[in-house]
């Protein structure tokens, strides 16, 4: 099964920013930024499975993540290198700001 994953350079920056403008999606991105690849079902977000799937889809369609399908499992990772190349400093700024807001 192939999942739609757009080329990041084809995604409007407003779409990327909109995807990052949600607290649950920021939590997912923060987790992915701290590690490698995660099984989609392992995120503890305090939302339903359907809501979690929706947020992962929004991130994927905004070009922020890649999803690998292996049997019935899906594994997601952040497209950090691509994001940093196209939007230098964006992820660092968003993640440091969201971490500061969480600690306040």
């Amino acid at each position: 099964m192939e999942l739609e994953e757009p080329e990041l350079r084809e995604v409007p920056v407003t779409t990327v920013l909109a995807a990052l403008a949600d607290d649950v999606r920021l939590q997912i991105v923060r987790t992915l930024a701290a590690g490698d690849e995660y099984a989609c079902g392992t995120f503890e977000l305090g939302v339903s499975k359907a809501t979690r799937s929706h947020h992962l889809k929004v991130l994927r369609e905004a070009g922020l993540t890649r999803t690998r399908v292996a049997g019935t499992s899906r594994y997601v990772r952040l497209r950090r290198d691509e994001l940093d190349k196209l939007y230098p400093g964006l992820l660092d700024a968003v993640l440091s700001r969201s971490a500061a807001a969480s600690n306040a």
Side-chain angles (χ1 to χ4, degrees), residues 23 26 30 93-104:
D23 289 336
L26 272 177
R30 191 178 304 117
V94 169
L95 294 174
S96 66
R97 179 66 188 140
S98 68
S102 297
N103 293 331

Side-chain angles (χ1 to χ4, degrees), residues 21-73:
D22 180 90
D23 289 336
V24 173
R25 291 192 290 269
L26 272 177
Q27 188 177 349
I28 293 168
V29 170
R30 191 178 304 117
T31 299
L32 293 173
D36 190 30
E37 185 177 68
Y38 290 83
C40 291
T42 61
F43 292 97
E44 294 296 327
L45 304 167
V47 298
S48 70
K49 181 179 176 181
T51 300
R52 180 183 63 220
S53 293
H54 166 75
H55 286 300
L56 290 166
K57 178 182 176 186
V58 169
L59 290 170
R60 185 182 73 248
E61 290 180 349
L64 291 160
T65 61
R66 289 240 186 250
T67 303
R68 178 176 62 87
V69 178
T72 59
S73 298

